[in-house]
Amino acid sequence: MSTATGPSARGTFLGMPAVPPRSPYGTGHLRGERTFPRAAHDELGNEQLRRNLGKATHSIRAKRLDVTGELPDWEALRDAGSAIKTDTMNRLPELLEELERKVTEHGGTVHWARDGIEANEIVTRLVRRTGSDEVLKVKSMATQEIGLNEHLESQGITALETDLAELIVQLADDRPSHILVPAIHRNRDEIREIFLRQIPGVDPALAATPAELAAAARAYLREKFMTAKVAVSGANFGIAETGTLSVVESEGNGRMCLTLPETLITVMGIEKVLPRFQDLEVFLQLLPRSSTGERMNPYTSLWTGVTPGDGPQDFHLVLLDNGRTAALADTIGREALNCIRCSACLNVCPVYERTGGHAYGSTYPGPIGAVLTPQLAGMHAAKDDPNSSLPYASSLCGACFDACPVKIDIPSLLVELRHQHTEQSGTTAEKLAMKAAATVMKQPKLFTAAQRAAGLGRVVAGRSGTFSHLPPPFRGWSDSRDTPAPPKQSFRSWFASADGAAAMRAAAQDGARHTDDDSQEAQ
Amino acid sequence: MRIALFATCLGDTLFPEAVKSTAVLLARLGHDVVFPPQQTCCGQMHVNTGYQREPVPLVSNFAEQFGDPSIEAVVMPSGSCAGSVRHQHELVAARYGDAALRAGVAAVKTKTYELSEFLVDVLDVTDVGAYFPHRVTYHPTCHSLRMLRVGEKPLRLLRAVEAIDLVELPEADACCGFGGTFAVKNAGTSSAMLRDKMDHIAGTGAEVCTAGDSSCLMHIGGGLSRIKSGTRTLHLAQILAATRTAPHVLTEAAR
């Protein structure tokens, strides 16, 4: 955004330097340790994971189609959601300032965090001030992104996740693998084992049924809710017009966190702001139907600053950049900031379905994660940066674009990021090959010669007429696919030949004869 | 109608039977089919792999070869190449082309069609007089389905084929896992997607799996060949071009 209305022209936007900052390298959870193909290789070998994921994504997919299909104005809602988000991104600085003003007016305190390091420090300072060494957490993508729990732990503060799936992941010392269903990769029996091992005093006869597992978690969490002094939440939406924050959830544990403690600290990515209160009308329809396939989520909590005698008496809002202005500065890529974290794209993605969320190495997995992660954290020129492999972790099938409630053109954004990556990565063998291919293909004579040369492959292919082993980089391809040898004659040489001309004449005559027959019949 | 055939680089080189069928079919329907001989490739592989400078000469050549105003339509047996011409050429021209290229690309875009949409939308035919007495299942390729929105058009054409036994493919709209260089860069994930697609095809008991893209068929066919499945792959054009007088003989090479 370097236009006259952009933040750089305003000078004061988030204390932003001329080049917008990315999320700092090596902090938080926006970069895995291995490239996508390597990480996916291990996940692909996990049959249990494949079954768990396949079952879960297929069931959410079907539910989503049912509840979106029943709304006559679903497409209009998607258009409205897309338009509101695009408008929001176009005037993000002014909306954030309005949000800050309104939150402050209502007795809250707003903090600005350039990156995850600053946000973690702010939250730690605020928790310390309460004298507590324990915080309750409402499921929050932003705090996962910056690694808040790990940071708090290093400062001697225990963070307890209260979202059931998030709790399962935390108790198992595991990482979330889905935006909405963080424990999607676990089945009931695995969860029972985790609870037996980690929850003090749990009934050893615990059954692996959803009701009993939920009851065990509830008993464990209730005690914490009654004693905790401070909670940390994320926010699904922040309304600039009123200073209202919102969390939507299914279990009610979030509402406990938002209402019972004395101090509430909300960490919100700056892109989550919405201009008007009325905009919720659109997003509270789009989000639950897209994410869980429900008409409405069970709990929607809204709070505006503090209310004397009711709920937390000390409220802090931490507005997190962590690479978001860098994404905003990319005129094509900024569309990714429209994401409302519904996870519909994950649930329809054939790549996610087979590899799971851990293969993406980021808090944000799946198609939108493959776009958002490199945008927030960058694709460092060092060729082994795992984030450089994310834009290629897609067959560009487009199912994500069809499912996205705010119509983010994820395939086009992936192609754009691939382009940015190849432009940044200097001369590579692939780039040379692409240049060579373009050189051959732009000259029909060379192209025809190459076709003839390829035809010689028939000799190598032998009697089967196929190749079953190819050299690198095609070795992975030939592991499970035969490749046909080029036939004797290309189409162009057939078309130019006497045979081709005769076949075309015969076809024309055949057609004419049938047309005559038809017209005779008609008479 | 004067129709220019775009063979696509893959069709021209590896799958000429699909292109021959397209040419013969259009001629049989009474049209004047021309083949601009200077044509090569649409550049989709470049763009999808992350290269937008390199395919500029390819995009430019395409616009030049097919820009001739006497050409009323540009038809190709490929949803993904048609998608590339309609959605990606403008992107490349806007970034690295000059005003002439941007204008050329915009002019050609509006008369470019994938085969099934050309037959149904432009020529307004669904019964092309084909005869194909085999059990067939249809895989809608992602780019036809989601970039071009061909929807039911290929199925309407297939349903009108005489003697065909058309069986529905379960989870038809799931990607086969090809995705161009995706199948090379993420070969393992691609293979896992292919395996599921082949299982669904096997479940139909079809002799032939057809689609509107030779690239996806190369992927699916390559997998079926490796597991020595009895099912063959055949381009939609090859089924539509087969008639009682010139039937397709399934025993000959599928391409």
Side-chain angles (χ1 to χ4, degrees), chain B:
Chain B
M1 190 184 282
R2 187 170 157 83
I3 301 167
L5 185 64
F6 178 54
T8 80
C9 58
L10 190 74
D12 190 4
T13 310
L14 268 186
F15 300 96
E17 291 301 327
V19 195
K20 285 184 203 175
S21 297
T22 307
V24 163
L25 174 63
L26 293 172
R28 200 173 79 211
L29 293 171
H31 299 281
D32 179 18
V33 179
V34 296
F35 182 83
Q38 305 296 305
Q39 63 174 280
T40 58
C41 165
C42 68
Q44 182 194 187
M45 177 186 73
H46 288 86
V47 177
N48 280 354
T49 312
Y51 298 88
Q52 292 182 25
R53 280 177 203 276
E54 289 73 7
V56 170
L58 305 184
V59 170
S60 163
N61 185 49
F62 188 95
E64 216 170 286
Q65 297 312 313
F66 297 100
D68 181 344
S70 77
I71 294 172
E72 292 169 84
V74 185
V75 177
M76 58 200 73
S78 165
S80 66
C81 299
S84 176
V85 172
R86 290 228 288 257
H87 297 282
Q88 296 184 332
H89 280 197
E90 277 182 332
L91 185 77
V92 170
R95 197 168 237 158
Y96 295 115
D98 53 15
L101 182 57
R102 288 196 291 276
V105 157
V108 173
K109 171 185 167 168
T110 54
K111 59 177 181 183
T112 293
Y113 302 94
E114 176 271 342
L115 177 63
S116 74
E117 58 178 9
F118 180 70
L119 293 173
V120 176
D121 290 347
V122 181
L123 298 186
D124 195 22
V125 321
T126 47
D127 184 350
V128 295
Y131 167 79
F132 194 75
H134 300 282
R135 174 172 276 211
V136 175
T137 195
Y138 168 72
H139 165 67
T141 63
C142 297
H143 290 168
S144 319
L145 193 68
R146 302 196 183 93
M147 271 177 113
L148 302 181
R149 304 276 167 201
V150 299
E152 287 273 296
K153 286 161 207 168
L155 284 168
R156 285 172 62 193
L157 290 161
L158 284 169
R159 283 188 201 115
V161 172
E162 188 186 348
I164 198 169
D165 175 14
L166 191 64
V167 283
E168 194 182 331
L169 180 65
E171 296 194 30
D173 60 0
C175 177
C176 71
F178 177 59
T181 47
F182 170 76
V184 176
K185 288 177 185 278
N186 286 280
T189 308
S190 165
S191 292
M193 290 159 70
L194 173 61
R195 210 150 48 232
D196 291 343
K197 181 59 71 181
M198 291 195 297
D199 285 347
H200 289 309
I201 292 170
T204 64
E207 296 163 80
V208 168
C209 173
T210 189
D213 270 282
S214 293
S215 52
C216 307
L217 289 173
M218 174 175 74
H219 185 236
I220 297 171
L224 293 172
S225 159
R226 178 59 57 89
I227 62 167
K228 304 204 181 333
S229 154
T231 309
R232 314 288 294 272
T233 49
L234 215 51
H235 194 283
L236 177 68
Q238 288 171 272
I239 293 179
L240 298 180
T243 59
R244 270 189 184 278
T245 44
H248 184 90
V249 185
L250 256 195
T251 47
E252 75 185 29
R255 64 207 158 82

